[in-house]
Amino acid sequence: MADNLFNAVYNPDVLSCLANLSNDEVFTPPDVVNKMLDMLPQELFQNPDTTFLDPACKTGVFLREIAKRLITGLEAQMPELQERIDHIFHKQLYAIAITELTSLLSRRGVYCSKYPQSEFSITQFEDAEGNIRYRKVQHKWKDGKCVYCGASKSDYERGVEQEAYAYEWIHTVKPEELFHMRFDVIISNPPYQLGSNDDRSTSRDKPIYNLFVNQAKKLKPRYMVMIIPSRWMASGLGLTEFRQEMLSDKHIRSLTDYPVAGNVFSGVEIKGGVCYFLWDRDNTGHCMVTSIRDNEVVGPVTRD
């Protein structure tokens, strides 16, 4: 029964459709997720102790695709399917949803039920959250700006009935205390920016994906894989320091750049394109860089 339920629910076509819904918080297509997972050492998916975290969960697609690899990779060690599923979802996969809505969507996509303590969940938890948490946090204002993410108080000080976009992952100084554990792999497609309603001609949307990357580094995971806009390569609003950090970071071992974001996210325009990269805590050196535009692939080439 567990085998039939798993095969019935884990269908990538559903999330491929969802990937085209949003231009602000872009949902990630399953094929892109798997390209990102291919950057990791594949023996990670044969180790029952490997832990994974998505700190900006929207649909649960990262956890879902990781689960599929673990279910195959751990079969020899755990022949019984339900035992394997229980171990993977309880001990290896974790996420922080970016909104209450995406928490429900993610639990539905990962556990086959938005309430993982219910009889319909593919694995039983004792609460309605499972390992996909969501907390409604608030911005902390100082001089009209949030001290954590830089959001404008005039734009984002809202009533409790409205979404404040105060993402939990970047609104804490101690991210390790969210789950009270460390992770082998942090992998995500974080929110890219905070919009502004300011009418001034100098007003621009504020990038925040850099905050997600920097916060992940604080946890010192063995590996980090993230897909972010490529605009950081040319600096930009509030990204000068981040650009210098990225260019001098010898832990970034592989980077794939798409100058046209539509080649990754169908129907979505992101100026400057997007890229995903592999950050390796225990190995430093040159970076293998690949550029893909339409059907033309340049690289990989070795860069400093």
Side-chain angles (χ1 to χ4, degrees):
M1 179 178 177
D3 193 15
N4 292 335
L5 181 59
F6 179 80
N7 290 330
V9 173
Y10 281 76
N11 185 337
D13 293 339
V14 175
L15 296 190
S16 292
C17 296
L18 287 174
N20 298 322
L21 292 180
S22 173
N23 193 21
D24 179 30
E25 295 161 348
V26 183
F27 292 174
T28 317
D31 63 317
V32 176
V33 172
N34 279 291
K35 290 176 182 178
M36 295 169 67
L37 291 175
D38 287 343
M39 302 175 81
L40 292 164
Q42 295 305 291
E43 57 265 26
L44 291 170
F45 304 103
Q46 300 171 2
N47 186 341
D49 297 323
T50 305
T51 52
F52 301 82
L53 171 69
D54 179 356
C57 198
K58 307 184 191 80
T59 65
V61 64
F62 283 99
L63 298 193
R64 191 195 71 175
E65 295 303 314
I66 292 168
K68 291 167 68 174
R69 296 192 183 209
L70 288 170
I71 284 173
T72 300
L74 298 179
E75 184 174 7
Q77 301 174 62
M78 299 179 183
E80 204 280 310
L81 178 60
Q82 189 60 55
E83 176 190 1
R84 199 157 72 247
I85 288 175
D86 290 341
H87 175 84
I88 290 168
F89 289 121
H90 284 257
K91 302 295 185 181
Q92 296 189 266
L93 303 180
Y94 300 82
I96 302 171
I98 60 172
T99 65
E100 184 174 10
L101 177 62
T102 61
S103 73
L104 298 175
L105 179 61
S106 297
R107 292 182 196 121
R108 179 64 179 83
V110 174
Y111 303 133
C112 307
S113 172
K114 61 183 179 180
Y115 302 118
Q117 88 278 32
S118 75
E119 61 180 307
F120 303 107
S121 177
I122 197 171
T123 184
Q124 295 292 311
F125 284 86
E126 294 182 355
D127 56 44
E129 189 172 68
N131 284 344
I132 302 176
R133 66 178 277 150
Y134 171 72
R135 301 291 185 274
K136 190 175 183 65
V137 300
Q138 299 296 324
H139 296 285
K140 183 178 180 181
W141 308 116
K142 182 178 180 180
D143 299 328
K145 300 287 186 182
C146 176
V147 298
Y148 291 110
C149 69
S152 169
K153 184 176 181 179
S154 61
D155 290 332
Y156 287 94
E157 187 177 42
R158 301 168 173 178
V160 294
E161 73 281 357
Q162 289 185 293
E163 178 58 54
Y165 299 100
Y167 304 113
E168 185 180 21
W169 179 246
I170 59 173
H171 282 74
T172 177
V173 295
K174 295 182 178 180
E176 68 276 6
E177 294 184 353
L178 297 180
F179 284 100
H180 297 285
M181 62 183 292
R182 294 189 180 275
F183 296 92
D184 295 297
V185 178
I186 295 180
I187 182 168
S188 194
N189 177 14
Y192 295 161
Q193 61 197 24
L194 289 173
S196 174
N197 296 322
D198 200 322
D199 292 331
R200 293 174 298 176
S201 61
T202 57
S203 176
R204 296 171 59 186
D205 292 339
K206 175 178 172 50
I208 59 171
Y209 58 87
N210 52 308
L211 303 180
F212 280 82
V213 173
N214 290 338
Q215 195 79 316
K217 289 182 181 180
K218 288 183 181 180
L219 261 65
K220 296 182 172 60
R222 290 174 60 193
Y223 302 98
M224 173 173 49
V225 183
M226 287 205 184
I227 180 167
I228 59 176
S230 297
R231 291 191 295 269
W232 66 266
M233 299 182 189
S235 192
L237 180 65
L239 293 174
T240 300
E241 183 177 352
F242 179 72
R243 177 175 184 267
Q244 292 303 318
E245 291 175 354
M246 291 287 283
L247 291 177
S248 62
D249 193 340
K250 300 295 184 181
H251 295 276
I252 299 178
R253 304 308 309 279
S254 179
L255 184 146
T256 301
D257 179 43
Y258 291 82
V260 179
N263 294 160
V264 180
F265 304 115
S266 178
V268 174
E269 180 183 2
I270 301 172
K271 292 182 179 180
V274 296
C275 65
Y276 49 79
F277 63 89
L278 170 67
W279 184 92
D280 186 334
R281 180 192 66 192
D282 299 328
N283 292 283
T284 59
H286 291 90
C287 183
M288 302 301 295
V289 179
T290 303
S291 180
I292 302 175
R293 182 190 293 267
D294 298 326
N295 295 320
E296 181 180 355
V297 180
V298 178
V301 296
T302 303
R303 295 186 180 176
D304 185 11

CSV table of all heavy atoms in Angstrom, one decimal, residues 53 90 94 116 142 148 174 206 228 258 260 270:
chain,number,residue,atom,x,y,z
A,53,LEU,N,18.2,20.3,4.5
A,53,LEU,CA,17.3,21.4,4.9
A,53,LEU,C,17.0,22.3,3.8
A,53,LEU,O,17.9,22.7,3.0
A,53,LEU,CB,17.9,22.2,6.0
A,53,LEU,CG,17.2,23.5,6.4
A,53,LEU,CD1,15.9,23.2,7.1
A,53,LEU,CD2,18.1,24.4,7.3
A,90,HIS,N,11.3,11.4,8.9
A,90,HIS,CA,11.5,11.8,10.3
A,90,HIS,C,12.9,12.2,10.6
A,90,HIS,O,13.1,13.1,11.5
A,90,HIS,CB,11.0,10.6,11.2
A,90,HIS,CG,9.6,10.5,11.3
A,90,HIS,ND1,8.8,10.9,12.4
A,90,HIS,CD2,8.7,9.9,10.4
A,90,HIS,CE1,7.5,10.6,12.2
A,90,HIS,NE2,7.4,10.0,11.0
A,94,TYR,N,14.1,18.1,6.3
A,94,TYR,CA,13.6,19.2,7.1
A,94,TYR,C,13.4,20.4,6.2
A,94,TYR,O,14.1,20.6,5.2
A,94,TYR,CB,14.6,19.6,8.3
A,94,TYR,CG,14.8,18.4,9.2
A,94,TYR,CD1,15.8,17.4,8.9
A,94,TYR,CD2,14.1,18.3,10.4
A,94,TYR,CE1,16.0,16.4,9.8
A,94,TYR,CE2,14.4,17.3,11.3
A,94,TYR,CZ,15.3,16.3,11.0
A,94,TYR,OH,15.5,15.3,11.9
A,116,PRO,N,0.3,16.0,8.6
A,116,PRO,CA,1.1,14.8,8.6
A,116,PRO,C,0.8,13.9,9.8
A,116,PRO,O,1.4,12.8,9.9
A,116,PRO,CB,2.5,15.3,8.6
A,116,PRO,CG,2.5,16.6,9.2
A,116,PRO,CD,1.2,17.2,8.7
A,142,LYS,N,13.9,49.6,13.0
A,142,LYS,CA,14.8,50.6,13.5
A,142,LYS,C,15.1,51.6,12.4
A,142,LYS,O,15.5,51.2,11.3
A,142,LYS,CB,16.1,49.9,14.0
A,142,LYS,CG,17.1,51.0,14.6
A,142,LYS,CD,18.4,50.3,15.1
A,142,LYS,CE,19.3,51.4,15.7
A,142,LYS,NZ,20.6,50.8,16.2
A,148,TYR,N,16.9,43.0,10.3
A,148,TYR,CA,17.3,41.7,9.7
A,148,TYR,C,17.3,41.7,8.2
A,148,TYR,O,18.3,41.3,7.6
A,148,TYR,CB,16.3,40.6,10.2
A,148,TYR,CG,16.3,40.3,11.6
A,148,TYR,CD1,15.3,40.7,12.5
A,148,TYR,CD2,17.4,39.7,12.2
A,148,TYR,CE1,15.3,40.4,13.8
A,148,TYR,CE2,17.5,39.4,13.5
A,148,TYR,CZ,16.4,39.7,14.4
A,148,TYR,OH,16.5,39.4,15.7
A,174,LYS,N,20.5,33.3,15.3
A,174,LYS,CA,20.9,32.0,15.7
A,174,LYS,C,20.1,30.9,14.9
A,174,LYS,O,19.2,30.3,15.5
A,174,LYS,CB,20.9,31.7,17.2
A,174,LYS,CG,21.8,32.6,18.0
A,174,LYS,CD,21.7,32.3,19.5
A,174,LYS,CE,22.7,33.1,20.3
A,174,LYS,NZ,22.6,32.8,21.7
A,206,LYS,N,14.5,45.4,-3.2
A,206,LYS,CA,15.6,45.1,-2.4
A,206,LYS,C,15.9,43.6,-2.5
A,206,LYS,O,15.1,42.8,-2.1
A,206,LYS,CB,15.4,45.5,-0.9
A,206,LYS,CG,16.6,45.1,0.0
A,206,LYS,CD,16.4,45.5,1.4
A,206,LYS,CE,17.5,44.9,2.3
A,206,LYS,NZ,18.8,45.0,1.8
A,228,ILE,N,19.9,31.2,-7.4
A,228,ILE,CA,19.7,32.6,-7.1
A,228,ILE,C,19.8,33.4,-8.4
A,228,ILE,O,20.4,33.0,-9.4
A,228,ILE,CB,20.7,33.2,-6.1
A,228,ILE,CG1,22.1,33.0,-6.6
A,228,ILE,CG2,20.5,32.4,-4.7
A,228,ILE,CD1,23.2,33.6,-5.6
A,258,TYR,N,22.6,30.6,-16.2
A,258,TYR,CA,21.7,30.8,-17.3
A,258,TYR,C,21.4,32.3,-17.5
A,258,TYR,O,20.6,32.9,-16.8
A,258,TYR,CB,20.3,30.1,-17.0
A,258,TYR,CG,20.4,28.6,-16.9
A,258,TYR,CD1,20.9,27.9,-15.7
A,258,TYR,CD2,20.0,27.8,-18.0
A,258,TYR,CE1,21.0,26.5,-15.7
A,258,TYR,CE2,20.1,26.4,-17.9
A,258,TYR,CZ,20.6,25.8,-16.7
A,258,TYR,OH,20.7,24.4,-16.7
A,260,VAL,N,19.6,33.7,-19.6
A,260,VAL,CA,18.1,33.9,-19.9
A,260,VAL,C,17.4,33.0,-18.9
A,260,VAL,O,17.4,31.8,-18.9
A,260,VAL,CB,17.8,33.5,-21.3
A,260,VAL,CG1,16.3,33.6,-21.5
A,260,VAL,CG2,18.6,34.3,-22.3
A,270,ILE,N,13.6,37.3,-15.3
A,270,ILE,CA,14.5,37.7,-14.2
A,270,ILE,C,15.7,38.3,-14.9
A,270,ILE,O,16.5,37.6,-15.5
A,270,ILE,CB,14.9,36.6,-13.3
A,270,ILE,CG1,13.7,35.9,-12.7
A,270,ILE,CG2,15.8,37.1,-12.2
A,270,ILE,CD1,14.0,34.7,-11.9
